[in-house]
Amino acid sequence: TMLLKVSNLKQRYGNVYALNDVNFTISEGEIIAILGPSGCGKSTLLQQIAGMQQPFMGEIKMDEVVVATNQYQLASEKRQVNMVFQDYALWPHMTVFENIAFGLKRKKLSKQEIKDRVEELASLMKLEGLLERLPAHLSGGQQQRVGIARALATKPRLLLMDEPLSNLDVKLRIEMRHELSFLLRKLNISVLYVTHDTDEAFAISDRMMILKDGQVEQFDTPRSVFEAP
Ligand code: ADP
Ligand code: ADP
């Protein structure tokens, strides 16, 4: 079933169209890699879908419900969408536990329910034993595990990942790429995964979107994209 539909989406900064008539749909459980050179509109597209900025033109729908037009913007926290950032963007003054629990505080959950959910995520992301630490006392890989746990905590339908592994060293990046691919499929969550790394995109995605100058140039299986004539 269809999860996300983006229609005729445009966004501009001054005279620059960062997105220039973007159209695509994704289904429940699909993992989409978004590739393209710096400045092609990847970050802008994620920000639009996350609800961090409003379209200049066009429409975004989730589950057949309009969440954004140039007239209307459903608040970020009301979309079942969470983001994982390249630089982790953890709250430095909060422990791992508090970082993961952050989004859960807004839900009407008991203390025990929050604790159970955080521990479940810590186990999923191999963070057991680190819950009382501050982010500064974690490795880069551990910090990104916290970023992913935090994003998964509220059980979003769609995860937006903006170069989540590109700050890690090569060895760890390749290790986590496979772990992440396995995990995301196990959770059956839909993902838009921005990366510069074609090997990573190949390993992780069901389909690849190639963006160029704010337009979707290709959107197909990794095989078809790389075997294009
Ligand atoms: P990336 O390529 O990783 O997306 P960028 O360097 O393009 O990173 O952008 C980083 C941040 O700077 C983004 O939040 C983006 O919106 C903002 N940004 C990018 N280009 C400009 C610009 N020309 N003027 C102002 N802000 C910009
Ligand atoms: P990417 O993530 O692919 O690097 P962006 O979405 O960050 O691309 O940027 C797309 C285009 O929009 C680029 O030309 C960039 O310079 C411009 N841009 C992005 N954010 C801003 C901003 N806040 N102000 C002005 N121009 C921006």
Side-chain angles (χ1 to χ4, degrees), residues 48-155:
Q48 292 276 330
I49 294 165
M52 293 153 77
Q53 47 167 250
Q54 190 158 4
F56 173 70
M57 269 184 70
E59 183 182 84
I60 302 171
K61 276 185 176 178
M62 267 189 82
D63 294 319
E64 306 289 340
V65 177
V66 175
V67 298
T69 67
N70 63 359
Q71 308 284 329
Y72 170 76
Q73 196 180 13
L74 183 68
S76 282
E77 63 274 15
K78 292 192 177 151
R79 301 184 189 188
Q80 289 179 295
V81 175
N82 281 336
M83 182 103 94
V84 175
F85 302 89
Q86 177 177 358
D87 61 0
Y88 323 130
L90 303 176
W91 286 284
H93 58 291
M94 291 185 192
T95 64
V96 169
F97 184 102
E98 291 163 339
N99 267 283
I100 297 173
F102 189 82
L104 296 171
K105 298 262 162 76
R106 250 191 267 114
K107 314 246 160 190
K108 291 199 173 79
L109 296 173
S110 69
K111 275 202 165 147
Q112 188 60 46
E113 285 169 320
I114 291 178
K115 187 163 177 283
D116 290 347
R117 180 79 184 130
V118 170
E119 282 172 359
E120 184 188 341
L121 286 156
S123 153
L124 188 71
M125 294 311 301
K126 301 183 185 149
L127 293 163
E128 299 105 325
L130 302 174
L131 288 174
E132 295 315 313
R133 289 212 199 165
L134 290 172
H137 297 135
L138 299 174
S139 69
Q142 289 169 336
Q143 289 189 52
Q144 194 54 299
R145 287 170 185 282
V146 177
I148 295 165
R150 179 180 62 182
L152 292 172
T154 54
K155 302 189 178 170

Side-chain angles (χ1 to χ4, degrees), residues 85-89 139-141 143-144 162-170 172-173 176 193 200:
F85 302 89
Q86 177 177 358
D87 61 0
Y88 323 130
S139 69
Q143 289 189 52
Q144 194 54 299
D162 195 355
E163 308 219 22
L165 305 183
S166 56
N167 280 357
L168 306 176
D169 68 56
V170 183
L172 189 58
R173 201 186 307 155
M176 277 197 71
Y193 189 106
E200 194 169 298

